[in-house]
Amino acid sequence: DQQVKQNSPSLSVQEGRISILNCDYTNSMFDYFLWYKKYPAEGPTFLISISSIKDKNEDGRFTVFLNKSAKHLSLHIVPSQPGDSAVYFCAASDGYQLIWGAGTKLIIKP
Amino acid sequence: DGGITQSPKYLFRKEGQNVTLSCEQNLNHDAMYWYRQDPGQGLRLIYYSQIVNDFQKGDIAEGYSVSREKKESFPLTVTSAQKNPTAFYLCASSIASGSSYNEQFFGPGTRLTVL
C-alpha cells in the first residue's frame, strides 16, 4: 500500500503562471517532507523541505504547504519557468528512510 | 568537489550474469542507499546502510546484494536471481539515517539493460 501518493502523473502549465503539485500521505508518523526535482537520466536533486511542526516554507519561487489534518502537502512554483519542466517527487521521512511518491511530470508551455 | 559518483552510466549484460554497480561518495556521509526506478514509477528502495559493515533490506531486496566495507563505497550486485533487472539504478547518501532530517544526495544513476 502506497504511503505517499502523487495522484497526478503529469501537469501542464503556461510559462509565467503558477504550478501546483500535490502529494498525499497516510502515515501520521512522518515528521519531515521533501520535494525533489529530476531531469531524465539524472539523479534527483533536493528542492525544498518542510518539518511537520510548520505549515509553510518558502525558498524563492518555491513554496511548500503542509496540511497535517488532511495529510496533504503541495508545492507551489511561481512564476513557472521553462527550466522547471521536470519530474517532481514528494518524499516523506519516518526518521530512518524516505518514502517516495511516484512523481509528477511538470511541463511548462511557452 | 564533493559528490556521489556512479559508474558506469550505461551497462549492458547478458541474462544470467551477475553485475556490480559502483557507488562512491566523498561527502563523509554515514548513510548510503540504493534505489531502483522503472518508467513511470517512483523510487523504490533496494538496500540501505547506516554505518560501515551494516546494511538493511529495503522494499525490493530480492535478487540484489550489497556490501559496505568502507564508508565511501556501497556497491550493488544485481544477481541472476533478479527477475527484471533492466532499470535505472540510483545511489544516494545522507548525513545519517536515524535522523528526522534526511535529505539525500543522489548520484547520476546507472542504466542497466539486460539482453
Side-chain angles (χ1 to χ4, degrees):
Chain A
D1 190 28
Q2 279 187 295
Q3 296 186 68
V4 178
K5 294 182 183 179
Q6 294 177 257
N7 291 318
S8 298
S10 65
L11 176 67
S12 187
V13 174
Q14 203 78 33
E15 182 180 352
R17 306 293 289 268
I18 184 170
S19 296
I20 301 175
L21 296 99
N22 294 303
C23 179
D24 296 295
Y25 62 96
T26 57
N27 189 343
S28 57
M29 297 303 291
F30 289 145
D31 60 358
Y32 203 80
F33 302 88
L34 305 93
W35 284 94
Y36 280 78
K37 177 179 178 179
K38 184 182 181 301
Y39 294 115
E42 293 183 9
T45 54
F46 171 74
L47 197 56
I48 192 169
S49 61
I50 188 166
S51 165
S52 60
I53 62 172
K54 293 187 174 182
D55 55 18
K56 179 182 175 181
N57 188 29
E58 280 183 87
D59 184 2
R61 296 186 298 115
F62 303 92
T63 302
V64 56
F65 295 92
L66 176 62
N67 182 335
K68 280 182 298 195
S69 61
K71 294 191 178 69
H72 176 83
L73 63 156
S74 60
L75 174 68
H76 293 211
I77 306 173
V78 56
S80 300
Q81 298 175 353
D84 295 330
S85 293
V87 176
Y88 290 78
F89 289 100
C90 167
S93 173
D94 64 2
Y96 292 94
Q97 59 176 304
L98 290 181
I99 310 299
W100 296 77
T104 296
K105 183 176 183 178
L106 177 64
I107 301 163
I108 305 301
K109 300 179 294 185
Chain B
D1 280 19
I4 301 176
T5 56
Q6 290 185 245
S7 60
K9 194 166 180 66
Y10 299 96
L11 188 56
F12 296 89
R13 279 295 181 269
K14 290 183 180 179
E15 194 171 341
Q17 287 182 333
N18 290 358
V19 60
T20 297
L21 281 59
S22 166
C23 177
E24 304 278 332
Q25 55 99 358
N26 60 3
L27 300 168
N28 200 33
H29 285 171
D30 289 313
M32 297 187 74
Y33 311 81
W34 273 105
Y35 291 95
R36 167 181 173 143
Q37 188 188 17
D38 293 285
Q41 295 191 35
L43 279 63
R44 292 185 290 165
L45 183 64
I46 304 172
Y47 268 98
Y48 65 103
S49 168
Q50 300 180 39
I51 56 172
V52 174
N53 292 322
D54 185 57
F55 47 82
Q56 285 79 40
K57 293 182 180 180
D59 300 325
I60 55 166
E62 186 176 348
Y64 300 97
S65 66
V66 293
S67 63
R68 187 86 186 277
E69 297 176 2
K70 298 187 299 182
K71 187 175 184 178
E72 302 80 19
S73 179
F74 191 40
L76 173 75
T77 297
V78 184
T79 74
S80 57
Q82 167 49 232
K83 290 181 172 46
N84 296 298
T86 294
F88 188 54
Y89 290 88
L90 286 160
C91 178
S93 69
S94 65
I95 293 173
S97 190
S99 164
S100 291
Y101 182 64
N102 231 12
E103 179 187 341
Q104 294 181 10
F105 296 81
F106 284 82
T110 293
R111 181 162 298 282
L112 172 65
T113 302
V114 175
L115 306 170

